[in-house]
Amino acid sequence: MEKTGAKTILLVDDEAIIALAERFVLEKNGYRVLTAGSGESAVETAAAQPGIDLILMDINLGSGMNGTEAAERILRNHDIPVIFLSSHTERDVVEKTEGITSYGYIVKNSGDTVLLASIKMAFRLFEAKTREKLGEKRIRLQHALLSGIIDSSASSIFSVDHEYRYTSFNDAHRREMLAVHGRAIRIGDNALDSVPEEEMRHRLKGNIDRALRGEQFTVQEDSGGDLDTRTYLETSHNPIRSEDGGVIGASVFSSDVTQRDRKSVV
């Protein structure tokens, strides 16, 4: 049979003869095997041996801790795939093990082929779940880094969906809304409601609508009045697209360019 590499399996079974036969099959197929004859021993071995790759756990382990209890204790501190071995086929027994782990349930005396195939399947499933977790971790890290960069910006930045509801905003925009309009904003709030002046609200809606139609553009505005006190804003509007290219929202970046524009006027 094909060798599977030197992965370590903890075999938990209180029946010495059965455990010996299973160990022989596993070692013959390239696995390193540790054994435990009780639930308590299994928990101790898992704590003392950090290199265990998989656990084959009998459910009935005589007096003391049974296999499901031992598995629950081990999984509190270790991320290890567990396959249950049992002579029971009752639905309630099987369902109880599914609530603890989803790597397999083997009925005893099913044969070496079933045992080895179930182990390989459990390893593939565990590797897939590990890759998925790593991917999610990278996404969370990237999101945290991006949020940190955006929050450190002095520009006011926010995004909305097609209903003008906030989907994100940075600290600068939050502070601006609170200082200028006296309103604390939250994700899900209507961005237009944060602007009390009707003319400004109408202008903001029109610009967002253009971005929601797929336009990407920048507008410049000034506060009016004397040149010495006039302030200038440069605001970019961009569509936010999904993977298939559809517009799912709009982002708005507003920067104070007063110093730059005053110099150009002078």
Side-chain angles (χ1 to χ4, degrees):
M1 286 193 180
E2 180 184 354
K3 298 296 182 181
T4 56
K7 292 184 180 294
T8 299
I9 294 177
L10 173 59
L11 174 61
V12 186
D13 199 316
D14 66 328
E15 298 183 57
I17 295 178
I18 293 178
L20 183 63
E22 290 171 342
R23 178 171 186 167
F24 175 78
V25 171
L26 295 172
E27 290 181 338
K28 181 181 177 182
N29 284 272
Y31 295 105
R32 175 174 177 260
V33 181
L34 304 175
T35 59
S38 67
E40 291 82 0
S41 178
V43 173
E44 293 174 0
T45 303
Q49 298 284 342
I52 295 172
D53 298 298
L54 181 140
I55 299 174
L56 284 173
M57 180 75 74
D58 190 6
I59 294 179
N60 295 325
L61 295 171
S63 60
M65 189 186 303
N66 64 34
T68 56
E69 292 172 326
E72 287 177 329
R73 292 199 184 187
I74 292 171
L75 293 175
R76 287 173 193 167
N77 301 308
H78 307 279
D79 188 12
I80 304 174
V82 177
I83 298 176
F84 286 101
L85 293 168
S86 178
S87 57
H88 292 280
T89 57
E90 297 89 344
R91 175 177 293 181
D92 59 334
V93 176
V94 177
E95 288 180 347
K96 184 175 181 179
T97 63
E98 289 176 348
I100 300 170
T101 180
S102 58
Y103 289 99
Y105 185 97
I106 303 174
V107 178
K108 284 190 173 182
N109 300 319
S110 295
D112 299 348
T113 301
V114 173
L115 175 65
L116 295 170
S118 297
I119 290 172
K120 290 180 180 180
M121 187 177 298
F123 278 130
R124 286 196 294 268
L125 179 58
F126 182 73
E127 289 168 0
K129 288 185 175 181
T130 300
R131 287 194 298 271
E132 182 178 351
K133 289 178 182 178
L134 290 174
E136 292 173 352
K137 184 177 180 180
R138 282 194 293 269
I139 291 173
R140 287 195 299 269
L141 177 59
Q142 290 172 352
H143 183 269
L145 291 172
L146 182 59
S147 296
I149 293 171
I150 292 175
D151 276 338
S152 67
S153 173
S155 299
S156 171
I157 304 172
F158 69 92
S159 62
V160 296
D161 59 16
H162 280 272
E163 303 298 324
Y164 313 108
R165 294 172 299 201
Y166 282 118
T167 54
S168 68
F169 51 79
N170 70 342
D171 282 345
H173 184 70
R174 176 183 56 79
R175 291 193 300 268
E176 178 187 340
M177 293 299 100
L178 184 61
V180 176
H181 306 296
R183 172 174 179 158
I185 57 174
R186 297 175 299 178
I187 298 298
D189 285 350
N190 190 308
L192 302 180
D193 292 341
S194 301
V195 184
E197 296 84 358
E198 183 176 351
E199 181 181 349
M200 186 180 297
R201 184 167 60 249
H202 179 75
R203 188 163 60 247
L204 175 62
K205 180 180 182 301
N207 287 334
I208 290 176
D209 285 342
R210 288 177 60 186
L212 290 173
R213 291 194 294 268
E215 292 187 56
Q216 184 175 0
F217 62 97
T218 298
V219 297
Q220 292 183 322
E221 301 172 299
D222 64 71
S223 62
D226 296 336
L227 289 178
D228 291 339
T229 60
R230 184 177 300 179
T231 58
Y232 299 85
L233 289 179
E234 186 173 82
T235 305
S236 298
H237 304 77
N238 304 278
I240 300 173
R241 299 184 182 276
S242 62
E243 291 184 0
D244 61 6
V247 178
I248 59 175
S251 63
V252 180
F253 297 70
S254 185
S255 301
D256 187 333
V257 293
T258 301
Q259 295 302 319
R260 184 197 72 185
D261 283 15
R262 279 183 183 170
K263 290 179 180 178
S264 65
V265 171
V266 174

